[in-house]
Amino acid sequence: MSRPRPESPKAPNAPAFGQRSRAVLKATTAAVAAGTIAVSPIAASIAQAGSETQVAAGAPVEVRVGVNPDFARVEFRGPLGIRAGVSQSGQTVTVHLPKGAQPDLGRLRVDPPPGVSGVDTHASASGFDIVLTLEKGASSKAGRADGAVYLNLFPPKSDAAAAPQPVAMTRADPVPAGGVVKVAAQTDGEQLTLRFPWAAPAGAAVFRRAGAVFIVFDARARLDLAGAPRSLGAVHRISWLDGADYTVVRIEAPPEVSVAAVSQGPTWTVVLGGPRPQPDDAVKIERDEQTGPPALTAALTGATKVVWLTDPAIGDRFAAVTAMGDVHGVAREHDFVETRILKSLQGMAVEAVAPDVRVAIAGDLVRIERPGGLSLSPPGVIAHSDDTPIDLPHAAALPGLVDTANWSRVGREGFLGRYRLLEDMASVEAAKGAEGPVTARMALARFLVGMEMNYEAIGVLDLVAKTNPSMLNDPEFRGLRGAARVMARRYKEADNDFASPTVANDPASNLWRGYIDVQLGNYADARKSFVSGSRAIDLFSPKWKARFSVAHAQAALELKDPGAARSLLAYALAQDIDAPEQLHAYLVEARMFEASGDKGRALAVYQAVARAPLDDVATPALLRATKIQYDQGTMKAGDAVAILDSLRYRWRGDATELDVIRSLGEIYLSQGRYREALEALRSAGQRLPDSPSAQALQAELADAFRKLFLQGQADGLQPIQALALFLDFRELTPVGADGDEMVRRLARRLIDVDLLPQAAELLKYQADNRLDGVAKAQVSTDLAAVYLMDQQPEKALDAIWGSRTTLLPNALNAQRRVLEARALTGLGKYDNALEILGKDAAPEAQDARAEVFWKQKDWAKAGDAYAKRLGDRWKTATTPLTGEEESKLIRAGVAFSLAGDAKSLKQLSDHYTGFIDHAQAPDALRVALADLDGGTLTPQSFAKAVTQADTFAGWVAGMKQHFRDAAEKALQTAQAGGGGNAG
């Protein structure tokens, strides 16, 4: 991009990037750690390795091979080795080992001693036999000494061998007196120089492998590093091992640290951190298909020895081929189906992909072969423009490491030629089925990942997993597919790969895990993963160094650690990255400004980044800019909603989408657009449901629903709108007392506007599906009342009887008895209703009892019951009667009239005649209170008076008021318990 970089006081200038990167790493607890610097022997895992059988820990038989000019000696050591027996028949020598023996025969097979033409093994009835076939004229002698069984092998004698050899051909022993080489080490800034002064010229091999520099000498000696300085410059750690007839030095150093080797007489000098040299005389790798089975050869002047080693970092085996100076090595790596030749500064390093690869020296010619021949190129593969063997993209040093620079090489054939070549090789290999190798297909996948063709790489790897299921346990497969899935933004699938136990301890995989966690909003887990993987970050390309550091900075910022975020951003910007990667860093830098309160500066950066034609940075930048402007009041809610709503569909699949949804929901709620808010927040649960950000959004959704229907925010909606909103989001109803009260509050609102069937449906669902015990009895009591108000006494009885339980509160029991009596009354079961009421003298029970007497036409008892309910109301004549009181007075007068109780009627008339003029139904009152002998009571007027004396309507009005009072009380309780958040 050509736009100027947003102002940043902490961003380093380009010339200082390289100088500051290491200081930045040490300044933060979450960045790349330089590691512990130490000088110590290499762990025992670096040892001579075989070609077929891997030595088990604590193997009972150790096979040692030694060679001198006169004979070779093979020793079998250990508890089982000392029990070995040796027999010879002609030119065949058989070593009998007891059952349980696990000898490592790698050295014998790969580099048999002089005089031995073949080594074979087979099981016997008593144990395990090793069969050595001697050359014609060779002889052997067996014996026991020093706790071992030995076999001395004498090569065949010849005139040439018997003849005295020229002194010039005899190599002086390079090991100093005492067997110790005193290494001189000195540092100059970041440069470390190591000098190995042997007593005579020694052969050496110097090369890089798995994040370390190996120096292999062809003589055994102890190294004295006591004089090494405490600071080793750019080097992290030096370790060494003296083997049977060789010495190995392993130096852990970042890949950008150059290595140079120089031979001056008997002294080898290795410089780390100086100018990056090229081999003076590059060793050429040639194909040999003329002298026998296909093999590879290399002319290595002064080649002296093949040393087989096991790498302690990876655990695989490889061979180092030492050579005398002048310095000459392999200029580039060569990758084949069954073997790999590494780039080297001196000598050669050969990795054995197949278990029976052999490396042998004949004069100055190094030969790499298999018993049946090497697979140098499959049939049908596109021919090369030259005769050099086919190089394959090889595995990186760590399972989760992406070696972009090497994997993306296309060579002279260009991309299409390289791609077709690898694809053809993979096709041929795939045709072999599940039992065949996967080398070519994995090489194709590495190439595709290196070229950022991630979907194609995923397809290749998925097919490998389908045809070769055992690859799911391969660390490199998991790391490679996980990385490809991350690059394709398929984070959940990538997380499954990196969750495999096979990559649990891989630092490079930890970096990918941290990156995934940031994308999904798991910031605490991301921080831990980044710290665990910090020592591998320098192995990645500059782009991924920057991406990991920016993601780590984002996690640090979310966890309130701005200092670490600042250092991580400086490290990211110190990499050689392009404009899009820099924009990611600026975006997090703006978040840092915003967190510190400098929102004006943050807004300027957001607005600048939002103009970039890259959705992955422009979307979060526009989101943050919109939020700041809306919060500051410089953007209207409608404009903010329009922007955020468009962003929901512009960028999906990570934490940015969830941030957009959260912001949109907050604005909707503040504007009273409850349905839009709930729909937006609910949609987040369908996106990345397992991420903490999505879970937090679901908590916000539940809280919004609670405020709407428990704390009164939805009271501004029409009842039918509130009901529709509730039913559409019913799954958000909380379990327990809050959920019960939420339903009851909504039902009360529906009752208030006579939406009785809808209220009953709500309450019945709650009672049938969510409640038990006392809670169910309470809701069922409300349900029975609603059914009675809707004149459905049968359903009211079902609600009461279906929720019976013991130990109910007295008040609730009394309410249920009255409702049950009214339901029985509605069904004409008057005696049962009176039995239920018993002697209950509560006002509600008296009303229900009076209703029963009225229905029974027991006029005397009905009149007494209604008159008793009026009590001394006549004494407050200045206050007009309520509708319910008028209904009771009319019924009392009519009942006394029908019972012929003139005395009670006259008393009632005397008390209440003064209320007639201000009554709601004055004519009905006059008829009801008229004297029996006055002649004013006609059948028509009596019928009219009875019609207007509807006590049921009064009961319904009373029940509605009861529900309103209960709702108000519940709201006050919810607001008090919610800490004032009912807003």
Side-chain angles (χ1 to χ4, degrees), residues 399-412:
L401 181 60
V402 173
D403 189 0
T404 305
N406 290 317
W407 292 353
S408 61
R409 291 183 306 180
V410 296
R412 284 176 291 178

PDB file of all heavy atoms in Angstrom, residues 399-412:
ATOM      1  N   PRO A 399       7.318 -30.579  13.755  1.00  0.00           N
ATOM      2  CA  PRO A 399       6.057 -30.961  13.093  1.00  0.00           C
ATOM      3  C   PRO A 399       5.201 -29.780  12.658  1.00  0.00           C
ATOM      4  O   PRO A 399       4.595 -29.817  11.594  1.00  0.00           O
ATOM      5  CB  PRO A 399       5.348 -31.789  14.170  1.00  0.00           C
ATOM      6  CG  PRO A 399       6.442 -32.323  15.018  1.00  0.00           C
ATOM      7  CD  PRO A 399       7.501 -31.269  15.038  1.00  0.00           C
ATOM      8  N   GLY A 400       5.131 -28.730  13.472  1.00  0.00           N
ATOM      9  CA  GLY A 400       4.278 -27.603  13.147  1.00  0.00           C
ATOM     10  C   GLY A 400       4.969 -26.492  12.383  1.00  0.00           C
ATOM     11  O   GLY A 400       4.372 -25.444  12.140  1.00  0.00           O
ATOM     12  N   LEU A 401       6.216 -26.698  11.998  1.00  0.00           N
ATOM     13  CA  LEU A 401       6.967 -25.653  11.300  1.00  0.00           C
ATOM     14  C   LEU A 401       6.656 -25.679   9.810  1.00  0.00           C
ATOM     15  O   LEU A 401       6.640 -26.733   9.188  1.00  0.00           O
ATOM     16  CB  LEU A 401       8.463 -25.855  11.529  1.00  0.00           C
ATOM     17  CG  LEU A 401       9.406 -24.841  10.881  1.00  0.00           C
ATOM     18  CD1 LEU A 401       9.142 -23.441  11.386  1.00  0.00           C
ATOM     19  CD2 LEU A 401      10.859 -25.237  11.127  1.00  0.00           C
ATOM     20  N   VAL A 402       6.409 -24.493   9.238  1.00  0.00           N
ATOM     21  CA  VAL A 402       6.178 -24.349   7.800  1.00  0.00           C
ATOM     22  C   VAL A 402       7.428 -23.724   7.188  1.00  0.00           C
ATOM     23  O   VAL A 402       7.762 -22.568   7.468  1.00  0.00           O
ATOM     24  CB  VAL A 402       4.936 -23.474   7.526  1.00  0.00           C
ATOM     25  CG1 VAL A 402       4.811 -23.192   6.035  1.00  0.00           C
ATOM     26  CG2 VAL A 402       3.684 -24.163   8.042  1.00  0.00           C
ATOM     27  N   ASP A 403       8.135 -24.511   6.379  1.00  0.00           N
ATOM     28  CA  ASP A 403       9.391 -24.067   5.758  1.00  0.00           C
ATOM     29  C   ASP A 403       9.065 -23.437   4.403  1.00  0.00           C
ATOM     30  O   ASP A 403       9.304 -24.027   3.343  1.00  0.00           O
ATOM     31  CB  ASP A 403      10.330 -25.254   5.619  1.00  0.00           C
ATOM     32  CG  ASP A 403      11.727 -24.838   5.192  1.00  0.00           C
ATOM     33  OD1 ASP A 403      11.957 -23.626   5.001  1.00  0.00           O
ATOM     34  OD2 ASP A 403      12.587 -25.727   5.042  1.00  0.00           O
ATOM     35  N   THR A 404       8.517 -22.241   4.435  1.00  0.00           N
ATOM     36  CA  THR A 404       8.013 -21.606   3.222  1.00  0.00           C
ATOM     37  C   THR A 404       9.099 -21.445   2.164  1.00  0.00           C
ATOM     38  O   THR A 404       8.881 -21.728   0.983  1.00  0.00           O
ATOM     39  CB  THR A 404       7.419 -20.231   3.563  1.00  0.00           C
ATOM     40  OG1 THR A 404       6.430 -20.399   4.584  1.00  0.00           O
ATOM     41  CG2 THR A 404       6.779 -19.599   2.353  1.00  0.00           C
ATOM     42  N   ALA A 405      10.281 -21.018   2.571  1.00  0.00           N
ATOM     43  CA  ALA A 405      11.340 -20.726   1.599  1.00  0.00           C
ATOM     44  C   ALA A 405      11.720 -21.959   0.793  1.00  0.00           C
ATOM     45  O   ALA A 405      11.885 -21.886  -0.437  1.00  0.00           O
ATOM     46  CB  ALA A 405      12.547 -20.160   2.328  1.00  0.00           C
ATOM     47  N   ASN A 406      11.877 -23.100   1.449  1.00  0.00           N
ATOM     48  CA  ASN A 406      12.296 -24.313   0.740  1.00  0.00           C
ATOM     49  C   ASN A 406      11.132 -25.004   0.035  1.00  0.00           C
ATOM     50  O   ASN A 406      11.290 -25.539  -1.058  1.00  0.00           O
ATOM     51  CB  ASN A 406      12.970 -25.283   1.718  1.00  0.00           C
ATOM     52  CG  ASN A 406      14.321 -24.775   2.184  1.00  0.00           C
ATOM     53  OD1 ASN A 406      15.110 -24.271   1.394  1.00  0.00           O
ATOM     54  ND2 ASN A 406      14.588 -24.889   3.479  1.00  0.00           N
ATOM     55  N   TRP A 407       9.976 -25.014   0.654  1.00  0.00           N
ATOM     56  CA  TRP A 407       8.844 -25.734   0.075  1.00  0.00           C
ATOM     57  C   TRP A 407       8.320 -25.068  -1.199  1.00  0.00           C
ATOM     58  O   TRP A 407       7.745 -25.733  -2.045  1.00  0.00           O
ATOM     59  CB  TRP A 407       7.705 -25.837   1.088  1.00  0.00           C
ATOM     60  CG  TRP A 407       8.027 -26.728   2.245  1.00  0.00           C
ATOM     61  CD1 TRP A 407       9.124 -27.507   2.404  1.00  0.00           C
ATOM     62  CD2 TRP A 407       7.225 -26.924   3.420  1.00  0.00           C
ATOM     63  NE1 TRP A 407       9.075 -28.184   3.602  1.00  0.00           N
ATOM     64  CE2 TRP A 407       7.916 -27.852   4.241  1.00  0.00           C
ATOM     65  CE3 TRP A 407       6.012 -26.427   3.847  1.00  0.00           C
ATOM     66  CZ2 TRP A 407       7.416 -28.274   5.466  1.00  0.00           C
ATOM     67  CZ3 TRP A 407       5.501 -26.836   5.072  1.00  0.00           C
ATOM     68  CH2 TRP A 407       6.204 -27.760   5.874  1.00  0.00           C
ATOM     69  N   SER A 408       8.507 -23.770  -1.323  1.00  0.00           N
ATOM     70  CA  SER A 408       7.940 -23.061  -2.477  1.00  0.00           C
ATOM     71  C   SER A 408       8.902 -22.976  -3.659  1.00  0.00           C
ATOM     72  O   SER A 408       8.576 -22.355  -4.667  1.00  0.00           O
ATOM     73  CB  SER A 408       7.525 -21.643  -2.060  1.00  0.00           C
ATOM     74  OG  SER A 408       8.653 -20.912  -1.599  1.00  0.00           O
ATOM     75  N   ARG A 409      10.063 -23.598  -3.560  1.00  0.00           N
ATOM     76  CA  ARG A 409      11.009 -23.545  -4.683  1.00  0.00           C
ATOM     77  C   ARG A 409      10.457 -24.300  -5.889  1.00  0.00           C
ATOM     78  O   ARG A 409       9.935 -25.406  -5.755  1.00  0.00           O
ATOM     79  CB  ARG A 409      12.349 -24.151  -4.276  1.00  0.00           C
ATOM     80  CG  ARG A 409      13.129 -23.323  -3.260  1.00  0.00           C
ATOM     81  CD  ARG A 409      14.467 -23.950  -2.972  1.00  0.00           C
ATOM     82  NE  ARG A 409      14.332 -25.349  -2.564  1.00  0.00           N
ATOM     83  CZ  ARG A 409      15.345 -26.126  -2.246  1.00  0.00           C
ATOM     84  NH1 ARG A 409      16.580 -25.657  -2.304  1.00  0.00           N
ATOM     85  NH2 ARG A 409      15.154 -27.389  -1.877  1.00  0.00           N
ATOM     86  N   VAL A 410      10.585 -23.720  -7.059  1.00  0.00           N
ATOM     87  CA  VAL A 410      10.066 -24.353  -8.279  1.00  0.00           C
ATOM     88  C   VAL A 410      11.176 -24.750  -9.243  1.00  0.00           C
ATOM     89  O   VAL A 410      10.954 -25.572 -10.136  1.00  0.00           O
ATOM     90  CB  VAL A 410       9.065 -23.426  -8.994  1.00  0.00           C
ATOM     91  CG1 VAL A 410       7.852 -23.190  -8.116  1.00  0.00           C
ATOM     92  CG2 VAL A 410       9.712 -22.098  -9.386  1.00  0.00           C
ATOM     93  N   GLY A 411      12.373 -24.194  -9.095  1.00  0.00           N
ATOM     94  CA  GLY A 411      13.480 -24.561  -9.968  1.00  0.00           C
ATOM     95  C   GLY A 411      13.302 -24.067 -11.391  1.00  0.00           C
ATOM     96  O   GLY A 411      12.437 -23.244 -11.699  1.00  0.00           O
ATOM     97  N   ARG A 412      14.100 -24.625 -12.266  1.00  0.00           N
ATOM     98  CA  ARG A 412      14.097 -24.158 -13.661  1.00  0.00           C
ATOM     99  C   ARG A 412      12.833 -24.549 -14.410  1.00  0.00           C
ATOM    100  O   ARG A 412      12.476 -23.931 -15.408  1.00  0.00           O
ATOM    101  CB  ARG A 412      15.325 -24.710 -14.390  1.00  0.00           C
ATOM    102  CG  ARG A 412      16.620 -23.998 -14.042  1.00  0.00           C
ATOM    103  CD  ARG A 412      17.802 -24.645 -14.710  1.00  0.00           C
ATOM    104  NE  ARG A 412      18.079 -25.972 -14.157  1.00  0.00           N
ATOM    105  CZ  ARG A 412      19.043 -26.765 -14.607  1.00  0.00           C
ATOM    106  NH1 ARG A 412      19.793 -26.380 -15.624  1.00  0.00           N
ATOM    107  NH2 ARG A 412      19.251 -27.943 -14.062  1.00  0.00           N
TER     108      ARG A 412
END
